[in-house]
């Protein structure tokens, strides 16, 4: 059961091992291996054959990545499917004041709003990350769909990162970032080569 008052903290070091066939199916918030975190380190692990499904907020390997000294480093998702509704990402669904670095996603990521290859809502630092998986908005009027980050609603930055996956959505569709509110978010040294497809006439894709 997801509890807003419970946040995992500490250090999880995968020591270079691979975790295969991770299966998560939740009808509450925070679908992932880690539901919600606070001031933690997660590093050095590969996931193979993931199957993660969430029907509410925050779906990913980490549902909600939170904490000013929280770091996710050297995490790879080799293949699989990550499906949610709002705030869906290959590494984390929602990110707040945290750092994601040297992470790679190959899984297909789908959701309705704020969907990204690395982070559904990048509210912190993303650096040296790569997405190869297809990122797709599903359902009516889906939006904020991006190859690295979905929709940014607070300050942060994406740097030294690349998207090679195809990105498709109804509105606010981007190779790197689908949507950004405000001026305190920055992009630097990033590249996207995947196809970017807007399935409506909303005229907000690039």
């Amino acid at each position: 059961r997801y509890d807003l008052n419970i946040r995992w903290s500490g250090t999880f070091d995968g020591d270079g091992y691979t975790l295969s066939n991770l299966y998560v199916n939740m009808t509450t918030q925070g679908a992932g291996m880690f539901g919600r975190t606070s001031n933690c380190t997660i590093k050095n692990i590969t996931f193979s054959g993931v199957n993660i499904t969430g029907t509410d907020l925050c779906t990913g390997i980490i549902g909600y990545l939170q904490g000013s000294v929280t770091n996710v480093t050297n995490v790879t998702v080799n293949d699989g499917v990550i499906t949610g509704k709002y705030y869906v990402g290959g590494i984390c669904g929602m990110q707040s004041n945290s750092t994601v670095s040297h992470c790679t996603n190959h899984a297909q990521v789908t959701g309705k709003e704020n969907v990204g290859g690395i982070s559904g809502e990048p509210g912190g630092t993303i650096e040296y990350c790569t997405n190869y998986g297809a990122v797709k908005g599903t359902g009516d009027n889906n939006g904020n769909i991006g190859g690295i980050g979905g929709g940014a609603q607070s300050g942060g930055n994406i740097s030294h990162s690349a998207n090679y996956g195809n990105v498709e959505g109804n509105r606010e569709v981007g190779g790197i970032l689908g949507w950004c509110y405000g001026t305190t978010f920055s992009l630097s040294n990033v590249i996207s080569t995947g196809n970017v497809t807007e399935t409506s006439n909303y005229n907000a894709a690039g």
Side-chain angles (χ1 to χ4, degrees), residues 38 73 78 85 131 136-137 157 168 178-179 192 194:
S38 178
T73 306
N78 269 343
K85 194 170 183 181
N131 175 64
K136 187 174 182 179
N157 63 88
E168 179 180 318
W179 176 80
S192 177

Side-chain angles (χ1 to χ4, degrees), residues 50-151:
V50 300
N51 185 349
I52 300 174
T53 301
T55 59
D56 207 320
L57 304 175
C58 308
T59 303
I61 295 297
I62 304 113
Y64 188 176
L65 184 65
Q66 188 176 27
S68 59
V69 293
T70 292
N71 295 279
V72 176
T73 306
N74 196 27
V75 173
T76 298
V77 181
N78 269 343
D79 53 18
V81 178
I82 298 173
T83 304
K85 194 170 183 181
Y86 303 104
Y87 308 109
V88 187
I91 301 298
C92 59
M94 181 182 288
Q95 179 188 1
S96 177
N97 298 322
S98 53
T99 299
V100 178
S101 66
H102 298 89
C103 292
T104 303
N105 173 59
H106 293 265
Q108 176 180 298
V109 182
T110 62
K112 181 174 174 61
E113 193 165 308
N114 292 339
V115 185
I118 299 297
S119 175
E121 183 185 326
T125 295
I126 296 176
E127 58 185 6
Y128 302 101
C129 290
T130 308
N131 175 64
Y132 294 92
V135 182
K136 187 174 182 179
T138 58
D140 295 336
N141 198 32
N142 64 77
N144 306 346
I145 317 295
I148 299 294

Side-chain angles (χ1 to χ4, degrees), residues 26-49:
M26 293 177 60
T27 58
T28 57
Q29 299 180 26
M33 180 169 177
F34 301 90
R36 185 177 180 136
T37 69
S38 178
N39 297 334
C40 70
T41 297
I42 300 169
K43 61 183 180 179
N44 304 331
I45 186 168
T46 296
F47 294 89
S48 179

